[in-house]
Amino acid sequence: MTHATDYTKPFIVDKNLGRALDEDNANLPETNADGLPVVPPTQEQKYVFDKQGWLLVPSVLSGDELKEMQDFCHRLRHDPESIPAHERSPLGGPMQKLSDHPNVVGFLNEFLAHPALSSQECYGFRMESCHMFYRTVGDGNFGPHNGNGMLRFPGDSHLYRCIPGKAYSGLTRIVWELNPVKYRQGGTLFITGSHKAVYTAPDSIQSPDSPIWDTYECPAGSLLFFTEACTHSTHKWTNEENNRVAIFSCYNTVNSKWHDWNPHPKLLEEMPPKRQTLFRPVRAANNLIG
């Protein structure tokens, strides 16, 4: 009898002459810049992300850690002058450690990292944007975009590739929901599975009330992953009990770039060396640190 966990290793072609990539000996980082062990996605989480194009992990942050981040975001929104100039961003203060949180590194090791550009001192992916969405009632404009990532030309990274046993999300969005999100009251909307769609989207997606749209609810401190190859949209915030405080970050390969964004040079200089590798130059050749 075979089981769900029984599978053969995927055959991935390495750089030269059709040789197989030796994933067993890939030197993917096992700790983050703070020395914490990475948290790989479970088999179920990998399956769900590949099936849906998005994955929610509830309550990753809690307690004093979450409160400190909520307070920082409140200051960033309402009292930015109280924060040093180079830290007036969602990468500043306590927020910096979200960029390579153990769950983030574990997920990106699986779905984005380039093994040949990974080491214990160096991430095999890049972080290329980070923004805070602070929304009150009525904020947020519906606007469907992306999708059909299996057929995308590789130039802009909005693609999704998969073979039996392995998937690759070229441009990956990671969202930290620092306040509670109520169902269909402002969380990001998704057309589940559209990252693998081969048909043009129907006109029905132009209504946020269409049942074709999926979304989520979650407690504060939850973590959302989605591939930019999946059709998604902002949803107007209608939750009157709390504002939306969400940190939207985008990750890409080390040899491709989409966003015109960089962290403040002084903030980058103050980061641990391993975290700095999230922002290294965009190229493949001679770009392995350590």
Side-chain angles (χ1 to χ4, degrees):
M1 176 183 293
T2 58
H3 300 277
T5 54
D6 292 338
Y7 61 94
T8 57
K9 293 175 184 175
F11 184 89
I12 303 171
V13 175
D14 204 351
K15 179 181 176 183
N16 290 323
L17 306 178
R19 289 192 298 257
L21 179 68
D22 184 5
E23 281 205 298
D24 287 342
N25 292 312
N27 194 16
L28 299 174
E30 298 175 0
T31 60
N32 72 352
D34 297 319
L36 300 174
V38 306
V39 180
T42 65
Q43 187 69 17
E44 180 177 301
Q45 287 171 336
K46 289 188 288 186
Y47 181 86
V48 170
F49 180 77
D50 177 59
K51 176 178 74 76
Q52 295 189 159
W54 61 280
L55 170 71
L56 179 71
V57 184
S59 303
V60 175
L61 304 174
S62 62
D64 292 342
E65 181 180 44
L66 175 59
K67 179 65 163 57
E68 183 184 27
M69 293 182 182
Q70 291 170 329
D71 290 345
F72 181 89
C73 290
H74 184 83
R75 290 169 58 205
L76 187 60
R77 168 78 172 201
H78 298 288
D79 188 20
E81 297 299 322
S82 69
I83 302 171
H86 69 287
E87 293 199 358
R88 288 175 199 162
S89 83
L91 270 179
M95 314 303 292
Q96 185 189 130
K97 59 188 177 183
L98 294 183
S99 64
D100 60 350
H101 186 279
N103 291 71
V104 170
V105 177
F107 181 89
L108 295 177
N109 276 350
E110 176 64 33
F111 285 100
L112 184 59
H114 187 340
L117 293 174
S118 302
S119 75
Q120 296 312 307
E121 293 80 36
C122 174
Y123 297 120
F125 46 83
R126 302 179 55 260
M127 182 182 188
E128 65 165 62
S129 73
C130 184
H131 299 91
M132 179 176 72
F133 288 1
Y134 193 108
R135 289 188 173 135
T136 60
V137 172
D139 289 342
N141 296 313
F142 177 70
H145 56 285
N146 290 348
N148 308 84
M150 290 286 288
L151 307 176
R152 288 287 192 111
F153 203 64
D156 68 4
S157 296
H158 290 71
L159 51 80
Y160 191 87
R161 297 286 185 266
C162 55
I163 59 174
K166 189 65 177 175
Y168 174 80
S169 175
L171 195 61
T172 303
R173 185 73 66 177
I174 290 179
V175 183
W176 291 94
E177 296 283 7
L178 300 182
N179 272 352
V181 176
K182 291 187 174 182
Y183 188 70
R184 287 198 173 267
Q185 293 189 31
T188 301
L189 296 171
F190 299 104
I191 298 183
T192 293
S194 56
H195 58 311
K196 297 179 177 179
V198 297
Y199 291 100
T200 304
D203 292 341
S204 57
I205 75 162
Q206 298 304 323
S207 169
D209 298 321
S210 169
I212 202 170
W213 287 106
D214 289 322
T215 189
Y216 55 92
E217 60 184 0
C218 64
S222 296
L223 178 57
L224 174 70
F225 301 95
F226 67 91
T227 173
E228 281 282 340
C230 186
T231 302
H232 57 280
S233 175
T234 298
H235 193 201
K236 190 180 294 293
W237 189 260
T238 59
N239 178 3
E240 297 182 352
E241 293 189 8
N242 58 263
N243 297 327
R244 187 183 192 188
V245 181
I247 307 301
F248 274 67
S249 298
C250 202
Y251 294 78
N252 204 344
T253 65
V254 295
N255 57 353
S256 181
K257 187 172 174 65
W258 176 258
H259 292 94
D260 183 15
W261 175 95
N262 287 294
H264 192 289
K266 185 177 179 181
L267 180 61
L268 181 59
E269 182 181 320
E270 293 176 353
M271 290 181 182
K274 192 171 187 177
R275 189 167 291 147
Q276 291 181 20
T277 71
L278 287 173
F279 308 100
R280 67 192 190 274
V282 184
R283 65 175 190 271
N286 302 315
N287 206 8
L288 178 61
I289 312 299

Coordinates of all heavy atoms in Angstrom, one line a residue, residues 69 72-73 76-77 87-92 95-96 98-99 127-135 171-178 188 224 226 228 234 244-251 257-264 267 279:
M69 N 5.2 45.2 18.0 CA 5.1 45.5 16.6 C 3.9 46.3 16.3 O 3.9 47.2 15.5 CB 5.1 44.2 15.8 CG 6.5 43.4 15.8 SD 6.5 41.9 14.9 CE 8.1 41.3 15.2
F72 N 4.7 49.8 17.3 CA 5.6 50.5 16.4 C 4.9 50.9 15.1 O 5.1 52.1 14.7 CB 6.8 49.5 16.0 CG 7.8 50.1 15.0 CD1 8.9 50.8 15.5 CD2 7.6 50.0 13.6 CE1 9.8 51.4 14.6 CE2 8.5 50.6 12.7 CZ 9.6 51.3 13.2
C73 N 4.0 50.1 14.6 CA 3.2 50.5 13.4 C 2.3 51.7 13.7 O 2.1 52.5 12.9 CB 2.4 49.3 12.9 SG 3.4 48.0 12.2
L76 N 4.5 54.6 13.6 CA 4.9 54.9 12.2 C 3.7 55.6 11.5 O 4.0 56.5 10.7 CB 5.2 53.6 11.5 CG 5.8 53.6 10.1 CD1 7.1 54.4 10.1 CD2 6.0 52.2 9.6
R77 N 2.5 55.3 11.8 CA 1.4 55.9 11.2 C 1.1 57.3 11.8 O 0.8 58.2 11.0 CB 0.2 55.0 11.3 CG -1.2 55.6 11.0 CD -1.4 55.7 9.5 NE -2.8 56.1 9.2 CZ -3.4 55.9 8.0 NH1 -2.7 55.2 7.1 NH2 -4.6 56.3 7.8
E87 N 14.7 54.5 10.4 CA 13.9 53.4 10.7 C 12.4 53.7 10.5 O 11.6 52.9 10.9 CB 14.1 53.0 12.2 CG 15.5 52.5 12.4 CD 15.6 51.7 13.8 OE1 14.6 51.6 14.5 OE2 16.7 51.2 14.0
R88 N 12.1 54.8 9.9 CA 10.7 55.1 9.6 C 10.2 54.3 8.4 O 9.8 54.8 7.3 CB 10.5 56.6 9.3 CG 10.7 57.4 10.6 CD 10.7 58.9 10.3 NE 11.3 59.7 11.3 CZ 11.7 60.9 11.2 NH1 11.6 61.6 10.0 NH2 12.3 61.6 12.2
S89 N 10.1 53.0 8.6 CA 9.6 52.1 7.6 C 9.2 50.8 8.2 O 9.5 50.6 9.4 CB 10.7 51.8 6.5 OG 11.6 50.8 7.0
P90 N 8.4 50.0 7.6 CA 8.0 48.7 8.2 C 9.1 47.7 8.3 O 8.9 46.6 8.7 CB 6.9 48.2 7.2 CG 7.2 48.9 5.9 CD 7.7 50.2 6.3
L91 N 10.3 48.1 8.0 CA 11.5 47.3 8.3 C 12.2 47.8 9.6 O 13.2 47.2 10.0 CB 12.5 47.4 7.1 CG 12.4 46.3 6.0 CD1 13.5 46.6 5.0 CD2 12.5 44.9 6.6
G92 N 11.8 48.9 10.1 CA 12.4 49.6 11.2 C 12.1 48.9 12.6 O 11.2 48.1 12.7
M95 N 10.4 45.5 13.6 CA 9.8 44.9 12.4 C 10.9 44.2 11.6 O 10.5 43.3 10.8 CB 9.1 46.0 11.6 CG 8.2 46.9 12.3 SD 6.9 46.0 13.2 CE 6.0 45.5 11.8
Q96 N 12.1 44.6 11.8 CA 13.2 44.0 10.9 C 13.3 42.5 11.0 O 13.5 41.9 9.9 CB 14.5 44.6 11.4 CG 15.7 44.2 10.6 CD 17.0 44.7 11.2 OE1 17.9 43.8 11.3 NE2 17.2 45.9 11.6
L98 N 11.0 40.4 11.1 CA 10.0 39.7 10.3 C 10.5 39.4 8.9 O 10.0 38.5 8.2 CB 8.7 40.6 10.1 CG 7.9 40.8 11.4 CD1 6.7 41.6 11.1 CD2 7.6 39.5 12.1
S99 N 11.5 40.1 8.4 CA 12.0 40.0 7.0 C 12.6 38.6 6.8 O 12.5 38.0 5.7 CB 13.0 41.0 6.7 OG 14.2 40.9 7.5
M127 N 14.7 39.9 -0.7 CA 13.5 40.7 -0.3 C 13.6 42.0 -1.1 O 14.6 42.7 -1.1 CB 13.5 41.0 1.2 CG 12.3 41.7 1.6 SD 12.5 42.1 3.4 CE 10.8 42.7 3.8
E128 N 12.5 42.3 -1.9 CA 12.6 43.5 -2.7 C 11.6 44.5 -2.5 O 11.6 45.6 -3.2 CB 12.7 43.1 -4.2 CG 11.5 42.4 -4.8 CD 11.6 42.4 -6.3 OE1 12.5 41.8 -6.9 OE2 10.8 43.1 -6.9
S129 N 10.7 44.4 -1.6 CA 9.8 45.5 -1.2 C 9.2 45.2 0.2 O 9.1 44.0 0.6 CB 8.7 45.8 -2.2 OG 7.8 44.8 -2.2
C130 N 8.8 46.2 0.9 CA 8.2 46.1 2.2 C 7.4 47.3 2.5 O 7.9 48.5 2.5 CB 9.3 45.9 3.3 SG 8.6 45.6 4.9
H131 N 6.1 47.2 2.7 CA 5.2 48.3 2.9 C 4.2 47.9 4.0 O 3.8 46.8 4.2 CB 4.4 48.6 1.6 CG 5.3 49.0 0.5 ND1 5.8 48.1 -0.5 CD2 5.8 50.2 0.1 CE1 6.5 48.8 -1.3 NE2 6.6 50.0 -1.0
M132 N 3.7 49.0 4.7 CA 2.7 48.8 5.7 C 1.3 49.2 5.1 O 1.2 50.3 4.5 CB 3.0 49.6 6.9 CG 1.9 49.5 8.0 SD 2.3 50.3 9.5 CE 2.1 52.1 9.0
F133 N 0.3 48.4 5.2 CA -1.1 48.8 4.8 C -1.8 49.0 6.1 O -2.1 48.1 6.9 CB -1.8 47.7 4.0 CG -1.3 47.5 2.6 CD1 -0.2 48.3 2.1 CD2 -1.8 46.6 1.8 CE1 0.3 48.2 0.8 CE2 -1.3 46.4 0.5 CZ -0.3 47.2 0.0
Y134 N -2.1 50.3 6.4 CA -2.8 50.7 7.6 C -4.2 51.2 7.1 O -4.3 52.3 6.6 CB -2.1 51.8 8.3 CG -2.5 52.1 9.8 CD1 -1.8 51.7 10.9 CD2 -3.7 52.7 10.0 CE1 -2.2 51.9 12.1 CE2 -4.2 53.0 11.3 CZ -3.4 52.6 12.3 OH -3.9 52.9 13.6
R135 N -5.2 50.4 7.3 CA -6.5 50.7 6.7 C -7.6 50.9 7.7 O -7.7 50.1 8.7 CB -6.9 49.6 5.7 CG -6.1 49.7 4.4 CD -6.6 48.8 3.4 NE -5.8 49.0 2.1 CZ -5.4 48.0 1.4 NH1 -5.6 46.7 1.7 NH2 -4.7 48.2 0.3
L171 N 7.6 35.2 -7.9 CA 7.5 36.4 -7.1 C 6.5 36.1 -6.0 O 5.3 35.8 -6.3 CB 7.0 37.5 -8.0 CG 7.1 38.9 -7.5 CD1 8.6 39.3 -7.2 CD2 6.5 40.0 -8.5
T172 N 6.9 36.1 -4.8 CA 6.1 35.6 -3.7 C 5.9 36.7 -2.7 O 6.8 37.5 -2.3 CB 6.9 34.5 -3.0 OG1 7.2 33.5 -3.9 CG2 6.0 33.9 -1.8
R173 N 4.6 36.9 -2.3 CA 4.2 37.9 -1.4 C 4.0 37.3 0.0 O 3.4 36.2 0.1 CB 2.8 38.5 -1.9 CG 2.3 39.7 -1.0 CD 3.2 40.9 -1.2 NE 3.0 41.5 -2.6 CZ 3.6 42.6 -3.0 NH1 4.4 43.3 -2.1 NH2 3.5 43.0 -4.2
I174 N 4.5 38.0 1.0 CA 4.3 37.5 2.4 C 3.7 38.7 3.2 O 4.1 39.8 3.1 CB 5.6 37.1 3.0 CG1 6.1 35.8 2.3 CG2 5.5 36.9 4.5 CD1 7.4 35.3 2.8
V175 N 2.6 38.4 3.9 CA 1.8 39.4 4.6 C 1.7 39.0 6.1 O 1.3 37.8 6.4 CB 0.4 39.5 4.0 CG1 -0.4 40.6 4.7 CG2 0.4 39.7 2.5
W176 N 2.1 39.9 6.9 CA 1.9 39.7 8.4 C 0.6 40.6 8.7 O 0.6 41.8 8.6 CB 3.1 40.3 9.1 CG 4.3 39.4 9.0 CD1 5.3 39.6 8.1 CD2 4.6 38.2 9.7 NE1 6.3 38.6 8.2 CE2 5.9 37.8 9.2 CE3 4.0 37.6 10.8 CZ2 6.5 36.6 9.7 CZ3 4.7 36.4 11.3 CH2 5.9 36.0 10.8
E177 N -0.4 39.9 9.2 CA -1.6 40.5 9.6 C -1.5 40.8 11.2 O -1.6 39.9 12.0 CB -2.9 39.7 9.4 CG -3.2 39.4 7.9 CD -3.8 40.6 7.2 OE1 -3.9 41.7 7.8 OE2 -4.3 40.5 6.0
L178 N -1.2 42.0 11.5 CA -0.9 42.3 12.9 C -2.1 42.6 13.7 O -2.0 42.7 15.0 CB 0.1 43.5 13.0 CG 1.5 43.2 12.3 CD1 2.4 44.5 12.5 CD2 2.1 42.0 12.8
T188 N -7.3 40.3 2.0 CA -7.0 40.1 0.6 C -7.9 39.1 0.0 O -8.1 38.0 0.6 CB -5.5 39.8 0.4 OG1 -4.8 40.9 1.0 CG2 -5.2 39.7 -1.0
L224 N 0.5 35.2 6.1 CA -0.2 34.8 4.8 C 0.9 34.8 3.7 O 1.7 35.7 3.6 CB -1.2 35.9 4.5 CG -1.9 35.7 3.1 CD1 -2.8 34.5 3.0 CD2 -2.7 37.0 2.8
F226 N 1.3 34.2 -0.5 CA 0.7 33.9 -1.8 C 1.6 34.2 -2.9 O 2.5 35.0 -2.8 CB -0.6 34.7 -1.9 CG -0.6 36.2 -2.0 CD1 -0.5 36.8 -3.3 CD2 -0.7 37.0 -0.9 CE1 -0.5 38.2 -3.4 CE2 -0.7 38.4 -1.0 CZ -0.6 39.0 -2.2
E228 N 2.4 35.8 -6.5 CA 1.9 36.9 -7.3 C 1.3 36.3 -8.6 O 0.7 37.1 -9.3 CB 3.0 37.9 -7.5 CG 3.3 38.8 -6.4 CD 2.2 39.9 -6.3 OE1 1.6 40.2 -7.3 OE2 2.1 40.5 -5.2
T234 N -7.2 43.7 -3.6 CA -7.6 44.4 -2.3 C -9.1 44.3 -2.1 O -9.9 44.2 -3.1 CB -7.2 45.9 -2.4 OG1 -5.8 46.0 -2.6 CG2 -7.7 46.7 -1.2
R244 N -7.0 47.7 9.9 CA -6.1 46.7 9.3 C -4.6 47.2 9.4 O -4.3 48.3 9.0 CB -6.4 46.4 7.9 CG -5.5 45.2 7.3 CD -5.8 45.0 5.9 NE -5.2 43.7 5.5 CZ -5.1 43.2 4.2 NH1 -5.5 43.9 3.2 NH2 -4.5 42.0 4.0
V245 N -3.8 46.4 10.1 CA -2.4 46.8 10.1 C -1.6 45.5 9.6 O -1.5 44.5 10.2 CB -1.9 47.1 11.5 CG1 -0.4 47.4 11.5 CG2 -2.7 48.2 12.1
A246 N -1.2 45.7 8.3 CA -0.6 44.5 7.6 C 0.7 44.9 7.0 O 0.8 46.0 6.4 CB -1.6 44.0 6.5
I247 N 1.7 44.1 7.1 CA 3.0 44.3 6.5 C 3.1 43.4 5.2 O 3.1 42.2 5.3 CB 4.2 43.9 7.5 CG1 4.0 44.7 8.8 CG2 5.5 44.3 6.8 CD1 3.9 46.2 8.7
F248 N 3.2 44.1 4.1 CA 3.2 43.4 2.8 C 4.7 43.4 2.3 O 5.2 44.5 2.0 CB 2.4 44.1 1.8 CG 0.9 43.6 1.8 CD1 0.1 43.9 2.8 CD2 0.4 42.9 0.7 CE1 -1.2 43.4 2.8 CE2 -0.9 42.5 0.7 CZ -1.7 42.7 1.8
S249 N 5.3 42.3 2.2 CA 6.7 42.2 1.7 C 6.7 41.3 0.4 O 5.8 40.4 0.3 CB 7.6 41.6 2.7 OG 7.7 42.4 3.8
C250 N 7.6 41.6 -0.5 CA 7.7 40.8 -1.7 C 9.1 40.2 -1.8 O 10.1 40.9 -1.5 CB 7.4 41.7 -2.9 SG 6.9 40.7 -4.4
Y251 N 9.2 38.9 -2.2 CA 10.5 38.2 -2.3 C 10.6 37.7 -3.7 O 9.6 37.3 -4.4 CB 10.5 37.0 -1.3 CG 10.6 37.5 0.1 CD1 9.4 37.9 0.8 CD2 11.7 37.5 0.9 CE1 9.4 38.3 2.1 CE2 11.8 37.9 2.2 CZ 10.6 38.3 2.8 OH 10.6 38.8 4.1
K257 N 14.5 41.2 -10.6 CA 14.0 42.3 -9.8 C 12.7 42.9 -10.4 O 12.7 43.1 -11.6 CB 15.0 43.3 -9.5 CG 14.6 44.4 -8.5 CD 15.8 45.3 -8.3 CE 15.5 46.5 -7.4 NZ 15.0 46.1 -6.0
W258 N 11.7 43.1 -9.6 CA 10.5 43.7 -10.1 C 10.2 45.1 -9.6 O 10.0 46.1 -10.3 CB 9.3 42.8 -9.8 CG 8.0 43.4 -10.2 CD1 7.0 44.0 -9.3 CD2 7.4 43.4 -11.5 NE1 5.9 44.4 -10.1 CE2 6.1 44.1 -11.4 CE3 7.8 43.0 -12.7 CZ2 5.3 44.3 -12.5 CZ3 7.0 43.2 -13.8 CH2 5.8 43.8 -13.7
H259 N 10.4 45.3 -8.2 CA 10.1 46.6 -7.6 C 11.3 47.5 -7.6 O 12.4 47.1 -7.5 CB 9.6 46.4 -6.1 CG 8.3 45.7 -6.0 ND1 8.2 44.3 -5.8 CD2 7.1 46.2 -6.0 CE1 6.9 44.0 -5.7 NE2 6.2 45.1 -5.8
D260 N 11.0 48.8 -7.7 CA 12.0 49.9 -7.6 C 12.0 50.3 -6.2 O 11.4 51.4 -5.8 CB 11.7 51.0 -8.6 CG 12.8 52.1 -8.6 OD1 13.9 51.8 -8.1 OD2 12.5 53.2 -9.1
W261 N 12.7 49.6 -5.3 CA 12.7 49.9 -3.9 C 14.0 49.3 -3.3 O 14.5 48.3 -3.7 CB 11.5 49.2 -3.3 CG 11.3 49.3 -1.8 CD1 10.6 50.2 -1.1 CD2 11.9 48.4 -0.8 NE1 10.7 49.9 0.3 CE2 11.5 48.8 0.5 CE3 12.7 47.2 -0.9 CZ2 11.9 48.2 1.6 CZ3 13.1 46.6 0.3 CH2 12.7 47.1 1.5
N262 N 14.4 50.0 -2.2 CA 15.6 49.5 -1.4 C 15.4 50.1 0.0 O 14.8 51.2 0.2 CB 16.9 50.0 -2.0 CG 17.3 49.3 -3.3 OD1 17.6 48.1 -3.2 ND2 17.3 50.0 -4.4
P263 N 15.9 49.3 1.0 CA 15.8 49.9 2.4 C 16.8 51.0 2.5 O 17.7 51.2 1.7 CB 16.2 48.6 3.2 CG 17.0 47.8 2.3 CD 16.5 48.0 0.9
H264 N 16.6 51.8 3.6 CA 17.4 52.9 3.9 C 18.9 52.4 4.1 O 19.1 51.4 4.8 CB 17.0 53.6 5.2 CG 17.6 54.9 5.5 ND1 18.9 55.0 5.8 CD2 17.1 56.2 5.4 CE1 19.2 56.3 6.0 NE2 18.2 57.0 5.7
L267 N 19.9 51.7 7.7 CA 19.2 50.6 8.3 C 19.8 49.3 7.8 O 20.0 48.4 8.6 CB 17.7 50.6 7.9 CG 16.8 49.5 8.4 CD1 16.8 49.4 9.9 CD2 15.4 49.6 7.8
F279 N 19.2 41.7 0.5 CA 19.2 42.9 -0.3 C 20.5 43.0 -1.2 O 20.9 44.1 -1.6 CB 19.1 44.1 0.6 CG 17.9 44.0 1.5 CD1 18.1 43.6 2.9 CD2 16.6 44.3 1.1 CE1 17.1 43.5 3.8 CE2 15.6 44.2 2.0 CZ 15.8 43.8 3.3

